[in-house]
Amino acid sequence: RLATRRARSRSIMTSSALMSGAAVAGLGCRASKLRPAPSSSRPARHHRYPIIRPRPDATRRALVRASASAVDAQQAEYASWRESKNIKSPNVEVAYFGDVDDEVMRYRGVKATSAINAGDVLVELPRESCLVLMDDAELPFPEFCTNELWAKLTEQNKWAVKVALNLLHERSLGEASPFRTYIDQLPKQFDLLSQWSDDELRLLQYPAVARAAEGQRKEDDAAFELVRKHSPETLKNPAVTKENLVWALNMVRSRVFSGRLSDEAGRKKNLLPKALAAGTAFAAFLTSQTQEGRWLAVFAMLALVVFDKEPEPGEEGGAKLAYVLMPLIDAFNHADLPAKTEFEFSAAAFRLRSPARYAKDGEVFISYGALGNDELLVRYGFVAPNDECANDTYVYQGLGAWLDANHEPIRKAKGADPSRARAIKDARLETYVSQGVFKNDGSADENLEWALRCALATPEEWRKAGGNCDGFKLGGGAPEKRARAALAAACAARLAEMETSVAEDEATLASGDAKDRARVAVQYRLAKKRILSRAAQKYA
């Protein structure tokens, strides 16, 4: 699949993708002449860097060379720092990828410095190289914030704010921090939905994800208010502005895992999601620990791991939670892969294993997990292009209300048997109708189809099935046909009421007129509409 993606990429990208910043700079003088036709075939990336717009050749060459030189120097310092911390990465290194046009150094990733087999260790980090904060730790930096604030954060279980403050404290130390080099090379800003304007959020044409963005904004505001109220002196530190606190929270909130830090005998443990961005519309989905498909791997940009720490010799109590920032694992980009990314930890080290085979000089991807575009956009700021997100879904909010108001067979069925709605509620199927979920292939949730078969059965069919919902669980017959017709009608109606059509969105992407956030919005809403289109066709 990755080979297919690369085959679709322009040959000019291959020639420059693995160059150092200085090498790319040497091409800057002719980059503006190589502008290709706009394309939406690029793989989903996370590490997007500022676009360098076309400028006069002399100005452009100077800008590109200066930027490339700074990047090379920073990465050389980071590599030296990792070596000093005994962080091992025998077959990978940070690299810059992108087209040699006006998007020089478009994104950062990791390249293979030698051939890699599935299961090979990509990165091994000693625990001492990681920034750790224990969940039950007393205030570790009283000069930075007050005990009153720390106690309030503990009382309200605001662990994310604690970790954000820990990161800001290290950042404020500057040269005195042993993690200064690591922190310096982290992205200086995010482009998550919480930073989008209301007008930009409306471009998504999907209210649920816009509400998730609003939830993030409220969490940011509440965190800053807690600091202002309970530790006002902290805000006198130049490192603790509202903008910087939001930056730290964005580093924290979306990269959380659960596992047990074991001894060497029980070393190999897979990480499962434990606690994710509270208050978002997708929290329940993201925190599911009951499905293998919901296993979340190591995330890009900054890996924040939550694990249970076994007590040290002489230490009282059982296993404890800790929050860990992990260098180098922050540079891997995401791709949908058939195998989950293996992440292991022991009492001594953290290890990331390759999920696939990679050739020398190729980009190395990991899977962030079985995530849909909702999660990718809310938590990382990008979507999978070209309808490649197999885990994407469409949540049809208000499906039940639309059927009640517009679908005549539903109205007739309710009139013929008013008690049917109560039976559906007692079977705990009501919510599947009020908020219908469609998978990427257009298939409706099984419980949604079941509920509609119950709702649309005639009184005679209902009696023959035993007078309860259990008799319609397997499907088939006339109730099945009616349920399918209802789904087809609802999906077609939702498509018709959207501001733009599938064809219009496809044309917008093909034209290249949509840039930056607008392009992401069109990619996102197009993927949602294609799910609805497949559902309408499937059930017609």
Side-chain angles (χ1 to χ4, degrees):
R1 182 170 185 173
L2 294 175
T4 302
R5 285 181 172 178
R6 292 193 177 98
R8 289 200 302 261
S9 301
R10 294 179 292 278
S11 60
I12 192 68
M13 176 176 177
T14 304
S15 65
S16 67
L18 304 178
M19 293 181 181
S20 66
V24 172
L27 298 170
C29 59
R30 49 193 168 89
S32 61
K33 299 178 182 179
L34 298 173
R35 295 178 61 110
S39 170
S40 61
S41 62
R42 296 165 179 146
R45 310 293 186 188
H46 193 195
H47 304 291
R48 292 175 294 177
Y49 277 68
I51 293 172
I52 299 175
R53 301 298 184 189
R55 296 170 179 262
D57 281 350
T59 303
R60 179 180 176 77
R61 284 196 298 270
L63 175 61
V64 171
R65 285 172 177 166
S67 299
S69 178
V71 165
D72 279 348
Q74 185 179 67
Q75 290 307 312
E77 183 183 15
Y78 183 41
S80 177
W81 178 85
R82 297 198 313 265
E83 184 177 359
S84 72
K85 295 292 185 181
N86 200 29
I87 296 174
K88 299 176 182 179
S89 54
N91 46 21
V92 295
E93 185 52 86
V94 176
Y96 286 84
F97 300 80
D99 301 336
V100 185
D101 56 14
D102 63 340
E103 298 184 54
V104 174
M105 295 183 295
R106 185 170 180 268
Y107 69 91
R108 186 180 72 168
V110 175
K111 75 170 183 178
T113 55
S114 61
I116 297 173
N117 292 316
D120 285 354
V121 174
L122 298 175
V123 183
E124 181 172 326
L125 303 93
R127 284 182 58 196
E128 292 76 15
S129 70
C130 303
L131 186 60
V132 180
L133 177 69
M134 299 306 299
D135 182 64
D136 63 350
E138 296 183 1
L139 177 62
F141 29 72
E143 76 287 357
F144 187 70
C145 70
T146 64
N147 279 299
E148 178 184 336
L149 172 61
W150 202 252
K152 182 61 65 173
L153 295 176
T154 301
E155 174 189 325
Q156 297 184 10
N157 195 28
K158 299 286 187 179
W159 56 266
V161 183
K162 284 185 176 181
V163 182
L165 289 172
N166 192 37
L167 180 57
L168 287 180
H169 172 252
E170 286 295 329
R171 195 184 194 188
S172 73
L173 295 177
E175 295 289 340
S177 171
F179 294 93
R180 192 270 306 171
T181 303
Y182 170 55
I183 293 173
D184 282 353
Q185 61 82 49
L186 292 173
K188 300 300 184 290
Q189 60 184 9
F190 285 84
D191 192 20
L192 302 187
L193 284 189
S194 55
Q195 277 77 57
W196 289 32
S197 69
D198 290 341
D199 286 341
E200 288 170 330
L201 290 173
R202 279 191 284 272
L203 293 176
L204 297 167
Q205 300 178 14
Y206 197 66
V209 77
R211 283 194 290 274
E214 180 60 28
Q216 283 188 353
R217 291 178 189 169
K218 290 180 179 179
E219 290 168 4
D220 294 341
D221 292 342
F224 187 75
E225 178 61 20
L226 281 170
V227 176
R228 188 199 63 77
K229 183 176 181 180
H230 299 286
S231 188
E233 291 295 313
T234 299
L235 299 180
K236 295 181 180 180
N237 190 314
V240 192
T241 62
K242 173 72 176 295
E243 181 181 6
N244 287 346
L245 181 59
V246 171
W247 169 82
L249 283 168
N250 283 335
M251 286 288 188
V252 170
R253 59 160 48 101
S254 59
R255 292 153 183 91
V256 182
F257 304 83
S258 172
R260 179 173 296 278
L261 184 64
S262 64
D263 56 22
E264 193 64 22
R267 176 176 56 82
K268 189 170 182 179
K269 299 287 183 180
N270 289 336
L271 296 178
L272 294 172
K274 183 177 180 71
L276 298 160
T280 70
F282 314 105
F285 169 82
L286 293 173
T287 55
S288 172
Q289 297 187 37
T290 59
Q291 301 177 48
E292 181 66 12
R294 294 299 170 232
W295 188 93
L296 301 183
V298 179
F299 291 95
M301 287 200 71
L302 186 67
L304 171 62
V305 180
V306 181
F307 62 86
D308 295 325
K309 175 184 173 296
E310 297 289 356
E312 299 292 340
E315 190 177 29
E316 295 183 0
K320 299 179 180 179
L321 286 175
Y323 305 89
V324 187
L325 305 182
M326 304 175 68
L328 187 57
I329 294 174
D330 59 5
F332 288 87
N333 283 315
H334 166 77
D336 284 332
L337 299 171
K340 66 186 180 184
T341 302
E342 289 290 336
F343 187 80
E344 304 168 358
F345 49 97
S346 70
F350 300 88
R351 296 176 186 87
L352 173 65
R353 292 188 179 272
S354 178
R357 294 180 62 185
Y358 294 101
K360 180 182 178 181
D361 288 338
E363 183 173 3
V364 178
F365 297 90
I366 62 173
S367 171
Y368 297 178
L371 304 181
N373 276 333
D374 298 334
E375 294 77 23
L376 292 176
L377 184 57
V378 170
R379 299 169 63 188
Y380 301 104
F382 70 87
V383 298
N386 298 327
D387 213 20
E388 292 179 359
C389 189
N391 298 292
D392 202 15
T393 60
Y394 184 90
V395 179
Y396 197 132
Q397 294 191 328
L399 172 61
W402 185 90
L403 291 171
D404 288 343
N406 300 282
H407 195 61
E408 184 63 23
I410 283 284
R411 293 204 299 269
K412 286 184 176 180
K414 284 194 170 184
D417 186 359
S419 66
R420 192 78 55 82
R422 180 65 188 179
I424 292 173
K425 184 176 182 179
D426 290 344
R428 299 183 178 181
L429 296 174
E430 184 181 41
T431 56
Y432 294 100
V433 180
S434 63
Q435 187 166 279
V437 175
F438 294 84
K439 302 173 187 176
N440 191 53
D441 64 358
S443 300
D445 184 276
E446 293 178 358
N447 289 323
L448 168 57
E449 294 190 55
W450 178 15
L452 289 178
R453 289 193 294 268
C454 295
L456 290 164
T458 65
E460 183 180 357
E461 290 166 341
W462 181 256
R463 287 192 298 271
K464 287 183 177 179
N468 59 62
C469 291
D470 290 343
F472 296 92
K473 189 169 186 178
L474 296 180
E480 176 75 18
K481 292 180 180 180
R482 297 186 202 109
R484 294 174 68 88
L487 292 172
C491 290
R494 177 57 59 91
L495 280 168
E497 67 189 28
M498 288 182 164
E499 295 178 35
T500 56
S501 67
V502 169
E504 288 171 332
D505 287 345
E506 290 174 340
T508 298
L509 290 179
S511 71
D513 291 340
K515 304 292 185 183
D516 304 324
R517 290 176 178 175
R519 185 174 185 83
V520 172
V522 177
Q523 289 175 325
Y524 176 85
R525 75 196 191 202
L526 177 57
K528 296 299 183 185
K529 291 170 190 175
R530 284 174 173 166
I531 294 175
L532 281 176
S533 294
R534 286 190 284 269
Q537 295 169 11
K538 179 183 181 70
Y539 292 109

